[in-house]
Amino acid sequence: MSELLSTALVTGGSRGIGRAVARTLADAGYQVFLTYISKPEEAEQTVRDITEAGGLARAFKLDVGDSDSVAALFRDEIRDKVDLAVLVNNAGITKDGLMLRMKDDDFDKVLAINLRGAFLCLREAAKIMTRQRHGRIINISSVVGQMGNAGQINYSAAKAGLIGMTKSAAKELAPRSVTVNAVAPGFIETDMTAALSEEARDAYAKAIPLGRLGSAQDVADAVAFLASDKASYITGQVLAVNGGLYC
């Protein structure tokens, strides 16, 4: 596989945490494949940012919750065409609401993208990585998957499910030298938190022992560590990037 480009696939890699992860892995020397479901202009901007900095990147439109689309991406663009070294399952959505008022569709859609979508990508990546006998899989969970959060029962359930999936997959794939870990961000500066009122942001910051919201780069650096050779003996773990919010 040495003649093939060492590649990192980042789902939901066009903005926010995904964009920071894509740029950081490109800086580490990987060719980056990133996926998006909407706003192609943001995906194209991320690709430009990486290529203008001297890296290699491509963007693909992908509904991670659709098994046929996921299988097609791996078949047509990845298998036997690149050395798939890293998968970062970052794609996710929110449809927040109190449990008693939550619609079935809002619950199902969040689990379909955030949990089932990660499983579909993990399964396809594992087929390749086990044959290669190397690979790093990093699932982006959340602090709310560890401690829960009112109004996010669907999102919390999906992110908690990612932790269980991480630990099970780590046991299955370890004999083939493939590691599987999770990163659980806390409150991070993203488009969603930018829409909060200053009062709400201050309240969140006061609840965090380090006294501030995290940055997307904080999360990206944790992902890059788990993708590196320095983390070769780490698998089945959850690395919390939350400023001490939940210990």
Side-chain angles (χ1 to χ4, degrees), residues 37-215:
I37 190 61
S38 62
K39 298 185 178 179
E41 66 280 2
E42 294 191 349
E44 292 164 5
Q45 182 60 56
T46 303
V47 169
R48 281 196 298 273
D49 290 345
I50 290 171
T51 55
E52 288 173 2
L56 296 172
R58 296 176 64 190
F60 302 90
K61 185 173 183 178
L62 177 69
D63 178 357
V64 296
D66 182 83
S67 58
D68 290 340
S69 297
V70 171
L73 175 67
F74 278 83
R75 180 189 66 239
D76 298 340
E77 304 293 346
I78 297 174
R79 186 179 302 119
D80 299 324
K81 297 175 178 64
V82 300
D83 173 10
L84 182 62
V86 180
L87 165 67
V88 181
N89 275 316
N90 173 70
I93 61 170
T94 58
K95 288 186 175 292
D96 296 346
L98 294 175
M99 176 180 64
L100 295 179
R101 299 175 183 172
M102 183 169 289
K103 298 177 182 177
D104 291 354
D105 286 348
D106 288 344
F107 185 89
D108 293 343
K109 185 65 174 178
V110 168
L111 265 70
I113 300 299
N114 297 18
L115 184 58
R116 185 174 186 269
F119 163 71
L120 294 174
C121 292
L122 186 154
R123 183 174 62 183
E124 293 300 322
K127 293 174 184 177
I128 296 170
M129 291 178 175
T130 53
R131 187 179 64 189
Q132 296 173 165
R133 290 184 174 269
H134 73 84
R136 301 276 191 269
I137 297 171
I138 299 120
N139 298 316
I140 305 300
S141 182
S142 170
V143 67
V144 303
Q146 298 173 303
M147 71 179 198
N149 196 34
Q152 289 192 306
I153 197 166
N154 48 3
Y155 189 78
S156 298
K159 293 301 187 178
L162 271 178
I163 292 173
M165 187 169 70
T166 295
K167 292 179 177 293
S168 295
K171 291 181 181 295
E172 291 190 23
L173 301 181
R176 294 283 180 155
S177 299
V178 177
T179 66
V180 188
N181 292 288
V183 172
F187 292 113
I188 304 298
E189 296 272 12
T190 63
D191 292 344
M192 286 187 289
T193 55
L196 295 172
S197 67
E198 186 174 344
E199 184 178 54
R201 289 168 58 84
D202 288 344
Y204 280 129
K206 287 177 182 177
I208 299 168
L210 282 180
R212 66 173 179 87
L213 274 66
S215 70

